[in-house]
């Protein structure tokens, strides 16, 4: 790409997109390689009678999704998605998974041919051939190289500038290194690895593990039991990833933030936690719970759990994944949440 300055567009305006916008906006100002204006696509909505884009561009705060944090002034909110991406060299996708097909359809043919993407999306999708990675949807639809950013990085802590580690997985390692230059700060420390698919899968699978730990919370079981769920969950994450990727993914990848640290941080926070914790106590089915507690919003862990279960069932691998299967059965087959404890006792790791 030579000496041209690289233009960055953030496709996503929710809390994580706004948190990373703080980092990107600051970093581009200090590196000649990047154009100093950063576009952030913001789907227009009215907040207190004003357009959200106007509020962001005037007050430099995403009052709706990341209140209390100033965005750098060179981060510009753009309501028209095609316009936002049309001159971008680097695209940072951070959107809830249900929007990705619509976004891809809208920007296909608009994104410059040489553009590179990176995603921060902790989910998997269902393609015509079953379980499908979000990055593959973007690769197929837009035809760009896509890296993956994943780690123990809750949005509020990233926005507050608290220390965290994260992982970038890239099939083309130079692209990962370029994104590292864009994103790294002294408190946002990045390791680049070449197992992009493994990094992405870890981000989705950890939601199943988090559901498991939160059934434990609901049952008021101890920290040791929860640690066992985390450990066995990580083992199943590794086994699943190696089967799905059909390769001997390096163990060191799982020791990076995307693997080891990610389930730990999520089981202490977030939407999966609160609801999964409530679930065993109120004894409701996940379907009802979603409607009542989440206003119909889907729990990441639920969808991931179902997709993974179907994949394992098809391949005749259910017996190899007792924890994943138990979480699925508690969520979808009305099994009592205490089965998470039985699963720990009878786990093949202890036989
Ligand atoms: C969005 O931008 C594109 C590209 O500039 C343009 O063709 C389109 O008409 C715009 N859409 C709206 C709703 O303004
Ligand atoms: C788990 O550890 C925390 C921190 O030490 C403690 O406050 C909590 O009571 C422990 N939980 C249980 C169930 O013992």
């Amino acid at each position: 790409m030579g000496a041209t300055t690289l233009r960055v567009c953030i496709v996503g305006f929710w809390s994580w997109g706004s948190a990373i916008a703080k980092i990107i906006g600051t970093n581009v100002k200090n590196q000649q390689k990047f154009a100093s204006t950063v576009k952030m696509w913001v789907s227009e909505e009215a907040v207190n009678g004003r357009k959200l884009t106007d509020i962001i561009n005037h007050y430099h705060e995403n009052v709706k999704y990341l209140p209390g944090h100033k965005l750098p002034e060179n981060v510009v909110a753009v309501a028209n998605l095609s316009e936002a991406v049309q001159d971008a060299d680097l695209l940072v996708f951070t959107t809830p998974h249900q929007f990705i097909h619509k976004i891809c359809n809208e920007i296909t043919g608009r994104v410059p041919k040489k553009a590179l993407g990176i995603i921060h999306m902790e989910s998997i999708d269902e393609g015509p051939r079953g379980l499908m990675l979000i990055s593959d949807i973007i690769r197929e639809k837009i035809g760009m190289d896509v890296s993956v950013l994943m780690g123990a990085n809750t949005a509020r802590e990233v926005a507050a500038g608290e220390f965290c580690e994260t992982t970038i997985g890239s099939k083309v390692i130079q692209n990962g290194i370029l994104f590292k230059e864009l994103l790294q700060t002294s408190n946002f420390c990045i390791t680049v690895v070449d197992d992009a698919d493994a990094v992405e899968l870890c981000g989705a699978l950890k939601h199943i593990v988090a559901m498991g730990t939160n059934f434990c919370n609901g049952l008021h079981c101890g920290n040791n039991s929860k640690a066992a769920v985390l450990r066995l969950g990580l083992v199943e994450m590794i086994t699943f990833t190696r089967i799905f990727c059909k390769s001997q993914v390096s163990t060191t990848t799982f020791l990076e933030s995307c693997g080891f640290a990610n389930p730990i941080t999520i089981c202490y926070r977030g939407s999966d936690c609160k609801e999964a914790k409530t679930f065993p106590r109120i004894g409701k089915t996940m379907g009802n719970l979603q409607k009542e507690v989440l206003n119909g919003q889907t729990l990441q862990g639920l969808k991931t759990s179902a997709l993974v279960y179907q994949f394992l069932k098809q391949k005749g691998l259910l017996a190899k994944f007792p924890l994943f299967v138990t979480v699925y059965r508690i969520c979808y087959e009305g099994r009592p949440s205490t089965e998470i404890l039985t699963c720990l006792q009878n786990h093949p790791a202890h036989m």
Side-chain angles (χ1 to χ4, degrees):
M1 288 184 204
T4 53
T5 55
L6 302 171
R7 285 174 292 241
V8 182
C9 175
I10 300 167
V11 182
F13 52 91
W14 294 269
S15 56
W16 214 88
S18 305
I20 205 71
K22 274 187 81 173
I23 290 179
I24 294 174
T26 307
N27 273 1
V28 295
K29 281 189 280 192
N30 301 326
Q31 296 182 73
Q32 303 218 314
K33 181 177 259 182
F34 303 109
S36 59
T37 299
V38 174
K39 289 184 185 166
M40 178 163 81
W41 169 59
V42 177
S43 178
E44 199 65 276
E45 61 181 290
V47 178
N48 299 326
R50 283 192 73 168
K51 288 180 176 172
L52 183 56
T53 50
D54 286 348
I55 298 174
I56 293 173
N57 291 334
H58 190 263
Y59 298 104
H60 307 290
E61 181 181 339
N62 188 343
V63 292
K64 174 92 187 259
Y65 298 100
L66 193 67
H69 292 278
K70 283 275 172 220
L71 300 175
E73 299 191 359
N74 54 329
V75 173
V76 177
V78 177
N80 181 328
L81 177 58
S82 302
E83 194 190 313
V85 301
Q86 70 188 357
D87 62 355
D89 300 293
L90 303 175
L91 290 158
V92 180
F93 293 90
T94 161
T95 76
H97 69 273
Q98 63 266 35
F99 300 124
I100 197 65
H101 288 280
K102 190 167 176 280
I103 287 171
C104 284
N105 292 340
E106 206 170 322
I107 67 177
T108 301
R110 298 269 183 191
V111 178
K113 287 213 159 28
K114 280 189 172 164
L116 305 173
I118 191 166
I119 60 167
H120 177 271
M121 293 173 59
E122 304 176 330
S123 49
I124 39 180
D125 202 64
E126 198 169 9
R129 295 174 302 279
L131 201 158
M132 187 168 181
L133 298 176
I134 303 285
S135 61
D136 280 335
I137 296 172
I138 301 178
R139 288 183 191 108
E140 277 186 17
K141 290 205 177 192
I142 307 182
M144 57 161 56
D145 181 71
V146 179
S147 299
V148 179
L149 177 67
M150 196 69 68
N153 313 135
T154 58
R156 301 233 153 244
E157 293 175 29
V158 172
E162 285 180 34
F163 181 85
C164 64
E165 293 181 316
T166 192
T167 314
I168 289 179
S170 289
K171 299 194 183 220
V172 183
I173 211 78
Q174 306 92 282
N175 295 347
I177 290 166
L178 179 61
F179 278 111
K180 176 172 176 168
E181 289 175 51
L182 176 68
L183 297 166
Q184 173 139 299
T185 72
S186 53
N187 271 348
F188 193 72
C189 284
I190 302 171
T191 305
V192 181
V193 300
D194 61 5
D195 296 312
D197 293 349
V199 171
E200 184 170 353
L201 268 176
C202 283
L205 296 174
K206 63 132 187 277
H207 288 289
I208 307 179
V209 183
M211 302 269 279
T213 59
N214 287 293
F215 292 139
C216 289
N217 289 345
L219 295 164
H220 301 291
C221 51
N223 290 322
N224 296 345
S225 313
K226 215 160 109 176
V229 172
L230 277 172
R231 190 191 79 81
L232 293 168
L234 182 62
V235 170
E236 290 188 16
M237 280 169 61
I238 295 172
T239 310
F240 185 93
T241 300
R242 286 185 168 151
I243 291 170
F244 185 86
C245 296
K246 300 190 186 74
S247 69
Q248 190 55 28
V249 179
S250 163
T251 303
T252 54
T253 297
F254 299 108
L255 297 177
E256 296 297 346
S257 186
C258 64
F260 174 70
N262 207 347
I264 297 178
T265 199
I266 198 188
C267 81
Y268 291 113
R269 65 114 193 194
S271 58
D272 283 86
C273 281
K274 200 170 66 212
E275 290 72 25
K277 235 191 303 200
T278 325
F279 174 59
R281 280 195 228 133
I282 56 182
K284 293 198 166 147
T285 68
M286 272 292 175
N288 286 339
L289 187 73
Q290 272 193 125
K291 271 190 223 116
E292 288 167 29
V293 186
L294 296 168
N295 296 321
Q297 223 187 317
T298 318
L299 277 172
Q300 294 275 30
L302 271 185
K303 191 183 165 185
T304 307
S305 170
L307 288 173
V308 164
Y309 181 85
Q310 281 148 21
F311 177 91
L312 295 174
K313 196 170 175 196
Q314 256 170 26
K315 303 236 182 281
L317 292 169
L318 291 178
K320 275 187 139 151
F321 296 86
L323 187 79
F324 286 2
V325 169
T326 302
V327 168
Y328 173 85
R329 292 192 168 142
I330 294 171
C331 293
Y332 288 97
E333 294 181 351
R335 303 288 186 91
S337 56
T338 48
E339 286 200 5
I340 200 77
L341 304 175
T342 328
C343 162
L344 295 181
Q345 291 164 342
N346 299 330
H347 200 282
H350 308 134
M351 295 300 133

